[in-house]
Amino acid sequence: GSAGALSPPAAASKWVRLNVGGTYFVSTRQTLCREPKSFLCRLCCQDGPELGSDKDETGAYLIDRDPTYFGPILNYLRHGKLIINKELAEEGVLEEAEFYNIASLVRLVKERIRDNENRTSQGPVKHVYRVLQCQEEELTQMVSTMSDGWKFEQLISIGSSYNYGNEDQAEFLCVVSRELNNSTNGIVKEPSEKAKV
């Protein structure tokens, strides 16, 4: 018919195959277009030249993303719930939700991450301590380059070191600590920690 481009055969229009990083997913156009602004909606509902989507030899849309995290994305579009397997990192799902531009899912995952943080930080806070040995001249540099989350605890002078040249270098032990529950997600609750040093 003359409207060829607009009306593909019914079966072809309903089901969509996606090849995400080498793994196949099958879904319906209706599911993929649930979020009108999303990448997936643009991909399969405006299959025009502007997106220039590549298809593999089976006719599946090629998406160069991690398939592990695509499952929760697709399931969210199917039933509107965020379900993440225990072994999957929420941050990974967040990354994909942002890539596919699914705003409501991005919000959900961020809430989930925040809830988890609150839950862990209510427990007893474990600290991990490190002792670093350094010479007097290295001290300021070391303290200023201390990474986020590490807190300066104590400085112990251990006298001057062996006399290498003619000048004595004072040696110090520098004790630093950080809270354990923050170290996993790289979010430091007080970014001003560095400034206090």
Side-chain angles (χ1 to χ4, degrees), residues 156-176:
I156 306 158
S157 167
I158 50 175
S160 57
S161 58
Y162 328 92
N163 204 339
Y164 288 125
N166 10 12
E167 76 258 33
D168 283 351
Q169 273 287 334
E171 291 256 319
F172 291 97
L173 289 181
C174 176
V175 183
V176 295

Side-chain angles (χ1 to χ4, degrees), residues 2-193:
S2 58
L6 293 174
S7 49
S13 68
K14 187 170 184 310
W15 290 97
V16 180
R17 278 167 72 85
L18 302 166
N19 177 345
V20 183
T23 303
Y24 284 104
F25 293 87
V26 177
S27 186
T28 64
R29 267 176 215 278
Q30 187 192 355
T31 295
L32 295 171
C33 294
R34 194 146 284 161
E35 285 273 335
K37 289 200 182 69
S38 77
F39 169 82
L40 294 166
C41 182
R42 293 212 323 273
L43 183 72
C44 56
C45 304
Q46 312 167 356
D47 189 15
E50 73 278 5
L51 206 64
S53 41
D54 292 327
K55 294 185 177 181
D56 67 7
E57 61 282 357
T58 70
Y61 291 99
L62 284 161
I63 303 177
D64 181 21
R65 299 297 286 185
D66 187 339
T68 326
Y69 293 107
F70 188 65
I73 305 282
L74 192 52
N75 282 330
Y76 172 75
L77 291 172
R78 283 171 176 151
H79 48 54
K81 293 193 185 77
L82 172 59
I83 297 169
I84 303 179
N85 291 347
K86 285 190 179 59
E87 63 275 8
L88 286 189
E90 272 104 353
E91 285 80 5
V93 179
L94 177 61
E95 189 63 40
E96 299 308 289
E98 286 176 342
F99 169 79
Y100 292 112
N101 194 24
I102 303 171
S104 53
L105 181 56
V106 169
R107 224 175 12 252
L108 269 176
V109 183
K110 281 183 172 162
E111 276 167 25
R112 172 81 55 97
I113 292 175
R114 204 174 313 122
D115 287 352
N116 287 353
E117 270 170 28
N118 293 343
R119 207 169 304 127
T120 48
S121 60
Q122 278 153 12
V125 175
K126 293 191 180 70
H127 281 85
V128 49
Y129 288 89
R130 275 195 189 164
V131 178
L132 312 157
Q133 184 169 356
C134 59
Q135 296 189 325
E136 193 171 11
E137 58 187 13
E138 304 166 326
L139 202 58
T140 41
Q141 189 204 351
M142 193 196 67
V143 171
S144 62
T145 56
M146 209 184 287
S147 60
D148 276 351
W150 285 98
K151 206 157 73 188
F152 190 79
E153 292 284 341
Q154 202 181 353
L155 192 62
I156 306 158
S157 167
I158 50 175
S160 57
S161 58
Y162 328 92
N163 204 339
Y164 288 125
N166 10 12
E167 76 258 33
D168 283 351
Q169 273 287 334
E171 291 256 319
F172 291 97
L173 289 181
C174 176
V175 183
V176 295
S177 76
R178 78 177 291 170
E179 292 186 11
L180 217 48
N181 63 351
N182 287 340
S183 56
T184 46
N185 46 34
I187 294 164
V188 180
K189 296 219 166 46
E190 307 171 44
S192 58
E193 215 47 272

